[in-house]
Amino acid sequence: MTDLSPLLQADKGQPATSLVLVDKSGFDAWLQAQPERVRQVLTAQGFKAEGYQLAIVQGEKAEWSAALGVANVGELSPWCLAKAAETLPEGTYRVEGQGPGPAALGWLLGQYRFDRYKAEKPKKVPRILLTDDPARIEESVQLAEATHLVRDLVNLPAQDLGPAELEAAAAAIAKDAGVKLAVTSGEKLAAEYPMIHAVGRAASQDRAPRLIELEWGDQRHPRIAIVGKGVVFDSGGLDIKNASGMRLMKKDMGGGAHALALAQLVIRSRLPVRLHLLVPAVENAISGNAFRPGDVLTSRKGVTVEIGNTDAEGRLILGDALTRAAEGAPELIIDFATLTGAARVALGPDLPALFANDEALAADLLAASEKVSDPIWRMPLWKAYNELFASDIADIGNSSDAPMAGAVTAALFLQKFVPDKMPWAHFDTFAWRASAKPGRPKGGDALGLRAAWQMLKARYGG
Protein backbone atom coordinates (compact mmCIF):
# COMPACT_ATOMS: atom_id res chain seq x y z
CA MET A 1 0.00 0.00 0.00
CA THR A 2 1.19 3.52 -0.80
CA ASP A 3 2.29 5.52 2.24
CA LEU A 4 0.38 8.81 2.06
CA SER A 5 1.85 10.39 5.19
CA PRO A 6 4.53 12.40 3.31
CA LEU A 7 1.76 14.31 1.49
CA LEU A 8 0.29 15.87 4.64
CA GLN A 9 2.72 17.47 7.06
CA ALA A 10 2.64 19.73 10.11
CA ASP A 11 3.15 23.41 9.34
CA LYS A 12 6.39 24.51 10.99
CA GLY A 13 6.84 27.64 8.95
CA GLN A 14 8.72 25.92 6.13
CA PRO A 15 8.67 27.51 2.65
CA ALA A 16 5.45 26.80 0.78
CA THR A 17 3.32 28.14 -2.04
CA SER A 18 0.18 29.92 -0.85
CA LEU A 19 -3.30 28.66 -1.71
CA VAL A 20 -5.77 31.53 -1.44
CA LEU A 21 -9.37 30.35 -0.94
CA VAL A 22 -12.16 32.56 -2.28
CA ASP A 23 -15.91 31.99 -2.44
CA LYS A 24 -18.55 33.72 -4.55
CA SER A 25 -19.95 35.79 -1.69
CA GLY A 26 -16.60 37.36 -0.92
CA PHE A 27 -15.17 37.43 -4.41
CA ASP A 28 -15.93 41.05 -5.42
CA ALA A 29 -14.50 42.54 -2.25
CA TRP A 30 -11.46 40.29 -2.40
CA LEU A 31 -10.84 41.12 -6.05
CA GLN A 32 -11.03 44.85 -5.44
CA ALA A 33 -8.45 44.51 -2.68
CA GLN A 34 -5.92 43.02 -5.10
CA PRO A 35 -3.33 45.09 -6.98
CA GLU A 36 -4.26 46.03 -10.54
CA ARG A 37 -1.69 43.60 -11.91
CA VAL A 38 -3.28 40.70 -10.02
CA ARG A 39 -6.80 41.69 -11.06
CA GLN A 40 -5.72 41.64 -14.70
CA VAL A 41 -4.14 38.20 -14.31
CA LEU A 42 -7.25 36.78 -12.65
CA THR A 43 -9.55 38.31 -15.26
CA ALA A 44 -7.40 36.90 -18.06
CA GLN A 45 -7.78 33.42 -16.56
CA GLY A 46 -11.53 33.84 -16.15
CA PHE A 47 -11.35 33.37 -12.41
CA LYS A 48 -14.71 34.07 -10.72
CA ALA A 49 -14.29 31.97 -7.54
CA GLU A 50 -16.54 29.23 -8.86
CA GLY A 51 -16.20 25.80 -7.29
CA TYR A 52 -12.90 24.05 -8.13
CA GLN A 53 -11.66 27.00 -10.22
CA LEU A 54 -7.93 27.58 -10.02
CA ALA A 55 -5.87 30.57 -11.15
CA ILE A 56 -2.11 31.06 -10.91
CA VAL A 57 -0.90 34.45 -9.71
CA GLN A 58 2.72 35.39 -10.30
CA GLY A 59 4.32 37.37 -7.49
CA GLU A 60 6.50 40.44 -7.93
CA LYS A 61 9.58 38.25 -7.68
CA ALA A 62 9.97 34.54 -8.34
CA GLU A 63 7.23 33.37 -6.00
CA TRP A 64 3.70 32.59 -7.12
CA SER A 65 0.39 31.63 -5.49
CA ALA A 66 -2.83 29.96 -6.54
CA ALA A 67 -6.36 31.29 -6.07
CA LEU A 68 -8.93 28.53 -5.55
CA GLY A 69 -12.69 28.83 -5.81
CA VAL A 70 -14.59 27.11 -2.99
CA ALA A 71 -18.26 26.96 -2.01
CA ASN A 72 -17.75 28.44 1.45
CA VAL A 73 -14.43 29.67 2.85
CA GLY A 74 -15.76 29.32 6.39
CA GLU A 75 -16.99 25.74 6.00
CA LEU A 76 -14.71 23.63 3.84
CA SER A 77 -15.87 20.29 2.48
CA PRO A 78 -13.56 17.29 2.04
CA TRP A 79 -13.34 18.06 -1.69
CA CYS A 80 -12.46 21.78 -1.73
CA LEU A 81 -8.77 21.18 -2.44
CA ALA A 82 -9.08 17.95 -4.41
CA LYS A 83 -8.96 19.54 -7.87
CA ALA A 84 -5.90 21.55 -6.91
CA ALA A 85 -4.20 18.38 -5.66
CA GLU A 86 -4.82 16.80 -9.04
CA THR A 87 -3.49 19.66 -11.16
CA LEU A 88 -0.91 21.78 -9.31
CA PRO A 89 2.77 21.16 -10.02
CA GLU A 90 4.98 19.26 -7.61
CA GLY A 91 5.71 21.23 -4.47
CA THR A 92 4.70 22.18 -0.95
CA TYR A 93 1.54 24.21 -0.31
CA ARG A 94 -0.13 26.10 2.52
CA VAL A 95 -3.71 27.40 2.73
CA GLU A 96 -3.42 31.10 3.41
CA GLY A 97 -4.97 32.42 6.60
CA GLN A 98 -6.53 29.15 7.79
CA GLY A 99 -5.94 25.43 8.04
CA PRO A 100 -7.21 22.95 5.45
CA GLY A 101 -9.48 21.22 7.97
CA PRO A 102 -11.50 18.38 6.38
CA ALA A 103 -10.23 19.36 2.91
CA ALA A 104 -6.95 17.64 3.78
CA LEU A 105 -8.66 14.35 2.97
CA GLY A 106 -9.56 15.44 -0.56
CA TRP A 107 -5.99 16.64 -1.04
CA LEU A 108 -4.77 13.10 -0.39
CA LEU A 109 -7.50 11.39 -2.40
CA GLY A 110 -7.02 13.76 -5.33
CA GLN A 111 -3.58 12.26 -5.89
CA TYR A 112 -4.86 8.68 -6.26
CA ARG A 113 -3.92 6.90 -9.49
CA PHE A 114 -4.60 3.34 -10.61
CA ASP A 115 -1.98 2.69 -13.29
CA ARG A 116 -1.01 -0.95 -12.70
CA TYR A 117 -1.86 -1.94 -16.25
CA LYS A 118 -0.52 1.13 -18.06
CA ALA A 119 2.55 0.41 -20.20
CA GLU A 120 3.63 4.01 -19.79
CA LYS A 121 2.89 4.97 -16.22
CA PRO A 122 2.22 8.67 -15.64
CA LYS A 123 4.95 10.36 -13.65
CA LYS A 124 4.02 10.71 -10.00
CA VAL A 125 3.91 14.35 -8.95
CA PRO A 126 3.81 14.58 -5.15
CA ARG A 127 2.04 17.64 -3.79
CA ILE A 128 2.59 18.24 -0.10
CA LEU A 129 0.05 20.12 2.00
CA LEU A 130 0.92 21.78 5.31
CA THR A 131 -1.62 21.83 8.11
CA ASP A 132 -1.88 23.80 11.33
CA ASP A 133 -3.72 20.87 12.94
CA PRO A 134 -1.16 18.07 13.44
CA ALA A 135 -3.74 15.98 15.33
CA ARG A 136 -5.71 15.65 12.07
CA ILE A 137 -2.78 14.27 10.08
CA GLU A 138 -2.91 10.66 11.25
CA GLU A 139 -6.70 10.49 10.97
CA SER A 140 -6.71 11.97 7.44
CA VAL A 141 -3.90 9.69 6.25
CA GLN A 142 -5.54 6.57 7.69
CA LEU A 143 -8.89 7.43 6.11
CA ALA A 144 -7.27 8.17 2.74
CA GLU A 145 -5.30 4.93 2.84
CA ALA A 146 -8.48 2.99 3.67
CA THR A 147 -10.20 4.64 0.70
CA HIS A 148 -7.22 3.77 -1.51
CA LEU A 149 -7.57 0.16 -0.37
CA VAL A 150 -11.20 0.07 -1.49
CA ARG A 151 -10.33 1.69 -4.81
CA ASP A 152 -7.38 -0.60 -5.51
CA LEU A 153 -9.30 -3.79 -4.72
CA VAL A 154 -12.38 -2.81 -6.72
CA ASN A 155 -10.35 -1.62 -9.70
CA LEU A 156 -8.43 -4.88 -10.00
CA PRO A 157 -9.82 -7.17 -12.73
CA ALA A 158 -11.11 -10.54 -11.61
CA GLN A 159 -8.16 -12.30 -13.26
CA ASP A 160 -5.95 -10.79 -10.56
CA LEU A 161 -8.42 -10.65 -7.67
CA GLY A 162 -9.95 -13.92 -6.60
CA PRO A 163 -10.89 -15.26 -3.17
CA ALA A 164 -7.21 -15.97 -2.46
CA GLU A 165 -6.29 -12.34 -3.13
CA LEU A 166 -9.05 -11.11 -0.82
CA GLU A 167 -7.61 -13.44 1.78
CA ALA A 168 -4.17 -11.92 1.16
CA ALA A 169 -5.62 -8.43 1.66
CA ALA A 170 -7.03 -9.57 5.01
CA ALA A 171 -3.69 -11.16 5.90
CA ALA A 172 -1.96 -7.81 5.25
CA ILE A 173 -4.27 -6.17 7.80
CA ALA A 174 -3.65 -9.08 10.17
CA LYS A 175 0.05 -8.19 10.31
CA ASP A 176 -0.89 -5.60 12.94
CA ALA A 177 -0.23 -6.84 16.45
CA GLY A 178 -2.96 -8.89 18.06
CA VAL A 179 -4.99 -9.61 14.91
CA LYS A 180 -6.07 -13.22 14.36
CA LEU A 181 -6.86 -14.46 10.85
CA ALA A 182 -9.02 -17.54 10.26
CA VAL A 183 -10.07 -18.95 6.89
CA THR A 184 -12.67 -21.68 6.40
CA SER A 185 -12.67 -23.52 3.06
CA GLY A 186 -13.09 -26.94 1.46
CA GLU A 187 -15.15 -29.64 3.16
CA LYS A 188 -15.38 -27.64 6.37
CA LEU A 189 -16.91 -24.71 4.48
CA ALA A 190 -19.44 -27.04 2.83
CA ALA A 191 -20.42 -28.46 6.21
CA GLU A 192 -20.52 -25.23 8.23
CA TYR A 193 -21.42 -22.55 5.66
CA PRO A 194 -23.52 -24.36 3.03
CA MET A 195 -24.74 -21.27 1.17
CA ILE A 196 -21.26 -19.76 0.81
CA HIS A 197 -20.00 -23.10 -0.51
CA ALA A 198 -22.93 -23.58 -2.89
CA VAL A 199 -22.48 -20.17 -4.52
CA GLY A 200 -18.73 -20.60 -4.99
CA ARG A 201 -18.37 -24.29 -5.77
CA ALA A 202 -18.54 -23.90 -9.57
CA ALA A 203 -15.34 -21.83 -9.67
CA SER A 204 -11.98 -23.35 -10.52
CA GLN A 205 -9.95 -24.94 -7.73
CA ASP A 206 -7.57 -22.00 -7.46
CA ARG A 207 -10.59 -19.73 -6.90
CA ALA A 208 -12.32 -21.91 -4.33
CA PRO A 209 -14.81 -20.25 -1.97
CA ARG A 210 -13.90 -19.39 1.62
CA LEU A 211 -14.99 -17.43 4.66
CA ILE A 212 -12.32 -14.97 5.79
CA GLU A 213 -12.45 -13.82 9.43
CA LEU A 214 -10.37 -11.39 11.49
CA GLU A 215 -10.60 -11.03 15.27
CA TRP A 216 -8.97 -8.15 17.14
CA GLY A 217 -9.34 -6.22 20.37
CA ASP A 218 -9.45 -6.37 24.13
CA GLN A 219 -11.96 -8.87 25.54
CA ARG A 220 -13.19 -6.17 27.94
CA HIS A 221 -14.34 -3.90 25.12
CA PRO A 222 -17.72 -3.94 23.29
CA ARG A 223 -17.89 -6.47 20.48
CA ILE A 224 -18.84 -5.35 16.97
CA ALA A 225 -19.07 -7.26 13.70
CA ILE A 226 -18.36 -5.99 10.19
CA VAL A 227 -19.44 -8.12 7.24
CA GLY A 228 -18.70 -7.59 3.54
CA LYS A 229 -19.92 -9.32 0.39
CA GLY A 230 -16.90 -10.72 -1.44
CA VAL A 231 -18.17 -11.93 -4.82
CA VAL A 232 -14.98 -11.47 -6.84
CA PHE A 233 -16.86 -11.91 -10.11
CA ASP A 234 -20.55 -12.47 -10.74
CA SER A 235 -21.49 -14.14 -14.00
CA GLY A 236 -25.01 -14.54 -12.67
CA GLY A 237 -24.48 -18.30 -12.50
CA LEU A 238 -26.87 -20.41 -14.54
CA ASP A 239 -29.20 -17.39 -14.61
CA ILE A 240 -26.41 -15.75 -16.58
CA LYS A 241 -26.18 -12.02 -16.94
CA ASN A 242 -26.07 -10.38 -20.36
CA ALA A 243 -22.87 -8.76 -21.59
CA SER A 244 -23.62 -5.26 -20.31
CA GLY A 245 -24.75 -6.60 -16.95
CA MET A 246 -21.54 -8.58 -16.56
CA ARG A 247 -19.15 -5.81 -17.62
CA LEU A 248 -18.59 -4.30 -14.17
CA MET A 249 -18.97 -7.47 -12.12
CA LYS A 250 -15.33 -7.37 -11.04
CA LYS A 251 -16.65 -4.80 -8.55
CA ASP A 252 -19.11 -7.22 -6.93
CA MET A 253 -16.62 -7.67 -4.10
CA GLY A 254 -16.92 -3.96 -3.30
CA GLY A 255 -18.74 -4.71 -0.05
CA GLY A 256 -15.86 -6.91 1.05
CA ALA A 257 -13.43 -4.13 0.17
CA HIS A 258 -15.41 -1.68 2.32
CA ALA A 259 -15.45 -4.15 5.22
CA LEU A 260 -11.69 -4.69 4.99
CA ALA A 261 -11.07 -0.94 4.86
CA LEU A 262 -13.31 -0.27 7.86
CA ALA A 263 -11.58 -3.04 9.80
CA GLN A 264 -8.22 -1.50 8.92
CA LEU A 265 -9.39 1.85 10.30
CA VAL A 266 -10.63 0.25 13.51
CA ILE A 267 -7.38 -1.63 14.09
CA ARG A 268 -4.91 1.09 13.15
CA SER A 269 -6.80 3.66 15.20
CA ARG A 270 -6.90 1.26 18.16
CA LEU A 271 -10.61 1.91 18.58
CA PRO A 272 -11.63 0.39 21.94
CA VAL A 273 -13.79 -2.41 20.54
CA ARG A 274 -13.56 -6.15 19.97
CA LEU A 275 -13.70 -6.47 16.21
CA HIS A 276 -15.02 -9.44 14.25
CA LEU A 277 -14.59 -9.06 10.49
CA LEU A 278 -16.21 -11.54 8.09
CA VAL A 279 -15.82 -11.61 4.30
CA PRO A 280 -17.38 -14.55 2.44
CA ALA A 281 -15.27 -14.72 -0.74
CA VAL A 282 -16.60 -16.55 -3.80
CA GLU A 283 -16.80 -16.44 -7.56
CA ASN A 284 -20.30 -17.02 -8.95
CA ALA A 285 -19.21 -19.08 -11.93
CA ILE A 286 -20.79 -21.58 -14.31
CA SER A 287 -19.83 -25.24 -14.55
CA GLY A 288 -21.39 -28.67 -14.25
CA ASN A 289 -21.62 -28.43 -10.48
CA ALA A 290 -23.05 -24.91 -10.29
CA PHE A 291 -26.03 -24.47 -8.00
CA ARG A 292 -29.30 -24.37 -9.93
CA PRO A 293 -32.64 -22.58 -9.98
CA GLY A 294 -34.99 -24.77 -7.98
CA ASP A 295 -32.32 -26.11 -5.63
CA VAL A 296 -33.01 -25.87 -1.91
CA LEU A 297 -30.08 -24.89 0.31
CA THR A 298 -29.96 -25.33 4.06
CA SER A 299 -28.26 -22.29 5.57
CA ARG A 300 -25.94 -22.25 8.56
CA LYS A 301 -28.87 -20.95 10.60
CA GLY A 302 -30.99 -23.93 9.56
CA VAL A 303 -33.34 -21.83 7.43
CA THR A 304 -33.99 -23.55 4.09
CA VAL A 305 -33.79 -21.39 0.96
CA GLU A 306 -35.27 -22.23 -2.44
CA ILE A 307 -33.18 -20.78 -5.26
CA GLY A 308 -35.37 -18.76 -7.57
CA ASN A 309 -32.47 -17.01 -9.25
CA THR A 310 -28.76 -17.87 -9.12
CA ASP A 311 -27.99 -14.20 -9.78
CA ALA A 312 -29.34 -13.35 -6.32
CA GLU A 313 -26.25 -14.93 -4.78
CA GLY A 314 -24.85 -12.13 -2.63
CA ARG A 315 -27.65 -12.41 -0.09
CA LEU A 316 -26.95 -16.15 0.23
CA ILE A 317 -23.31 -15.81 1.22
CA LEU A 318 -24.16 -12.88 3.48
CA GLY A 319 -26.86 -14.96 5.18
CA ASP A 320 -24.30 -17.50 6.37
CA ALA A 321 -21.80 -14.78 7.31
CA LEU A 322 -24.39 -12.80 9.27
CA THR A 323 -25.39 -15.96 11.12
CA ARG A 324 -21.76 -16.52 12.11
CA ALA A 325 -21.39 -12.87 13.15
CA ALA A 326 -24.49 -13.04 15.36
CA GLU A 327 -23.14 -16.14 17.15
CA GLY A 328 -20.50 -13.91 18.75
CA ALA A 329 -23.26 -11.76 20.33
CA PRO A 330 -21.93 -8.40 19.07
CA GLU A 331 -23.68 -5.24 20.19
CA LEU A 332 -24.00 -4.20 16.56
CA ILE A 333 -23.45 -5.58 13.05
CA ILE A 334 -22.66 -3.54 9.95
CA ASP A 335 -22.62 -5.12 6.52
CA PHE A 336 -21.62 -3.71 3.14
CA ALA A 337 -22.68 -5.19 -0.19
CA THR A 338 -23.03 -4.31 -3.84
CA LEU A 339 -26.29 -6.15 -3.49
CA THR A 340 -28.95 -4.87 -5.91
CA GLY A 341 -29.35 -2.91 -9.08
CA ALA A 342 -32.70 -1.85 -7.62
CA ALA A 343 -30.90 0.35 -5.07
CA ARG A 344 -29.17 2.16 -7.93
CA VAL A 345 -32.44 2.58 -9.80
CA ALA A 346 -33.95 4.13 -6.68
CA LEU A 347 -31.04 6.28 -5.53
CA GLY A 348 -28.51 6.48 -8.35
CA PRO A 349 -24.78 5.79 -8.08
CA ASP A 350 -23.83 8.32 -5.38
CA LEU A 351 -26.22 7.35 -2.59
CA PRO A 352 -25.77 4.03 -0.78
CA ALA A 353 -29.06 2.67 0.48
CA LEU A 354 -29.06 2.25 4.27
CA PHE A 355 -31.32 -0.27 5.96
CA ALA A 356 -31.34 -0.60 9.75
CA ASN A 357 -33.42 -2.45 12.31
CA ASP A 358 -32.50 -0.03 15.11
CA GLU A 359 -33.61 3.60 15.20
CA ALA A 360 -30.66 4.83 17.28
CA LEU A 361 -28.15 3.16 14.97
CA ALA A 362 -29.85 4.58 11.88
CA ALA A 363 -29.93 8.07 13.39
CA ASP A 364 -26.26 7.87 14.35
CA LEU A 365 -25.27 6.78 10.85
CA LEU A 366 -27.29 9.53 9.18
CA ALA A 367 -25.79 12.14 11.51
CA ALA A 368 -22.31 10.82 10.81
CA SER A 369 -23.02 10.93 7.08
CA GLU A 370 -23.90 14.63 7.31
CA LYS A 371 -20.87 15.43 9.46
CA VAL A 372 -18.31 13.96 7.05
CA SER A 373 -20.11 14.68 3.74
CA ASP A 374 -20.48 10.99 2.88
CA PRO A 375 -24.12 10.85 1.78
CA ILE A 376 -26.37 7.86 2.47
CA TRP A 377 -30.15 7.47 2.31
CA ARG A 378 -32.30 5.36 4.60
CA MET A 379 -34.68 2.88 3.01
CA PRO A 380 -37.47 0.95 4.77
CA LEU A 381 -37.47 -2.64 6.01
CA TRP A 382 -41.09 -2.91 4.92
CA LYS A 383 -42.25 -6.16 6.54
CA ALA A 384 -45.26 -6.61 4.27
CA TYR A 385 -42.86 -7.36 1.42
CA ASN A 386 -41.66 -10.56 3.11
CA GLU A 387 -44.43 -12.30 1.22
CA LEU A 388 -42.72 -11.45 -2.06
CA PHE A 389 -40.02 -14.08 -1.57
CA ALA A 390 -42.14 -16.80 -0.01
CA SER A 391 -41.50 -20.39 -1.17
CA ASP A 392 -43.92 -23.30 -1.58
CA ILE A 393 -41.33 -25.92 -0.61
CA ALA A 394 -38.76 -24.14 1.59
CA ASP A 395 -38.78 -21.67 4.45
CA ILE A 396 -38.02 -18.78 2.08
CA GLY A 397 -36.99 -18.10 -1.49
CA ASN A 398 -33.94 -16.08 -2.43
CA SER A 399 -35.68 -13.90 -4.99
CA SER A 400 -38.99 -12.37 -5.88
CA ASP A 401 -40.97 -12.60 -9.09
CA ALA A 402 -42.23 -9.06 -8.52
CA PRO A 403 -40.34 -6.45 -10.57
CA MET A 404 -40.45 -3.93 -7.71
CA ALA A 405 -38.84 -3.22 -4.32
CA GLY A 406 -35.76 -5.31 -5.11
CA ALA A 407 -33.48 -3.49 -2.67
CA VAL A 408 -36.05 -3.80 0.11
CA THR A 409 -36.70 -7.51 -0.40
CA ALA A 410 -32.95 -8.20 -0.49
CA ALA A 411 -32.51 -6.38 2.82
CA LEU A 412 -35.48 -8.24 4.30
CA PHE A 413 -33.84 -11.52 3.27
CA LEU A 414 -30.67 -10.55 5.13
CA GLN A 415 -32.68 -9.52 8.17
CA LYS A 416 -33.86 -13.11 8.59
CA PHE A 417 -30.29 -14.02 9.56
CA VAL A 418 -29.93 -11.31 12.22
CA PRO A 419 -31.45 -11.77 15.71
CA ASP A 420 -34.45 -9.50 16.26
CA LYS A 421 -32.95 -7.39 19.04
CA MET A 422 -29.43 -7.17 17.67
CA PRO A 423 -28.76 -3.72 16.12
CA TRP A 424 -27.84 -4.15 12.46
CA ALA A 425 -27.20 -1.82 9.54
CA HIS A 426 -26.94 -2.85 5.91
CA PHE A 427 -25.33 -0.69 3.21
CA ASP A 428 -26.36 -1.50 -0.37
CA THR A 429 -23.57 0.45 -2.04
CA PHE A 430 -22.38 0.85 -5.63
CA ALA A 431 -18.62 0.95 -4.83
CA TRP A 432 -18.06 2.61 -8.21
CA ARG A 433 -18.02 6.00 -9.91
CA ALA A 434 -19.13 6.01 -13.52
CA SER A 435 -17.71 9.52 -14.04
CA ALA A 436 -14.93 11.47 -12.35
CA LYS A 437 -15.32 14.25 -9.81
CA PRO A 438 -12.54 16.16 -8.05
CA GLY A 439 -10.80 13.72 -5.71
CA ARG A 440 -13.02 10.90 -6.94
CA PRO A 441 -11.76 9.37 -10.19
CA LYS A 442 -13.80 7.09 -12.39
CA GLY A 443 -13.66 3.55 -11.08
CA GLY A 444 -13.84 1.88 -7.71
CA ASP A 445 -14.63 4.07 -4.73
CA ALA A 446 -15.66 3.99 -1.08
CA LEU A 447 -19.29 5.04 -0.61
CA GLY A 448 -20.58 4.87 2.95
CA LEU A 449 -17.20 3.98 4.47
CA ARG A 450 -16.55 7.38 6.05
CA ALA A 451 -20.07 7.58 7.46
CA ALA A 452 -19.72 4.18 9.12
CA TRP A 453 -16.29 5.07 10.51
CA GLN A 454 -17.51 8.38 11.90
CA MET A 455 -20.39 6.60 13.63
CA LEU A 456 -18.04 4.06 15.20
CA LYS A 457 -15.69 6.82 16.37
CA ALA A 458 -18.57 8.76 17.90
CA ARG A 459 -19.83 5.67 19.74
CA TYR A 460 -16.57 4.08 20.81
CA GLY A 461 -13.86 6.69 20.43
CA GLY A 462 -13.55 7.20 24.17
Side-chain angles (χ1 to χ4, degrees), residues 196 211-214 224-230 253-263 275-281 314-327 330 332-338 414 417-418 422 424-429:
I196 297 174
L211 176 64
I212 303 162
E213 296 180 81
L214 293 182
I224 66 169
I226 300 171
V227 182
K229 173 186 169 185
M253 39 57 63
H258 279 70
L260 286 164
L262 186 55
L275 171 68
H276 187 193
L277 168 76
L278 306 98
V279 178
R315 64 199 68 182
L316 299 173
I317 66 172
L318 286 172
D320 273 355
L322 288 167
T323 299
R324 168 70 179 118
E327 289 166 3
L332 70 83
I333 300 175
I334 301 173
D335 82 68
F336 294 89
T338 52
L414 296 184
F417 298 91
V418 178
M422 185 172 289
W424 160 70
H426 159 58
F427 286 85
D428 191 337
T429 186

Side-chain angles (χ1 to χ4, degrees), residues 159-226:
Q159 70 191 56
D160 290 327
L161 185 75
E165 286 72 27
L166 275 185
E167 180 183 330
I173 296 171
K175 289 181 180 179
D176 281 72
V179 186
K180 297 178 181 179
L181 171 66
V183 179
T184 306
S185 59
E187 293 181 1
K188 188 175 182 182
L189 183 77
E192 298 184 6
Y193 303 96
M195 294 200 296
I196 297 174
H197 177 265
V199 172
R201 72 191 185 202
S204 58
Q205 187 174 359
D206 63 337
R207 299 171 72 82
R210 65 205 69 191
L211 176 64
I212 303 162
E213 296 180 81
L214 293 182
E215 294 260 8
W216 172 85
D218 191 316
Q219 295 294 316
R220 296 169 296 180
H221 291 156
R223 185 174 178 86
I224 66 169
I226 300 171

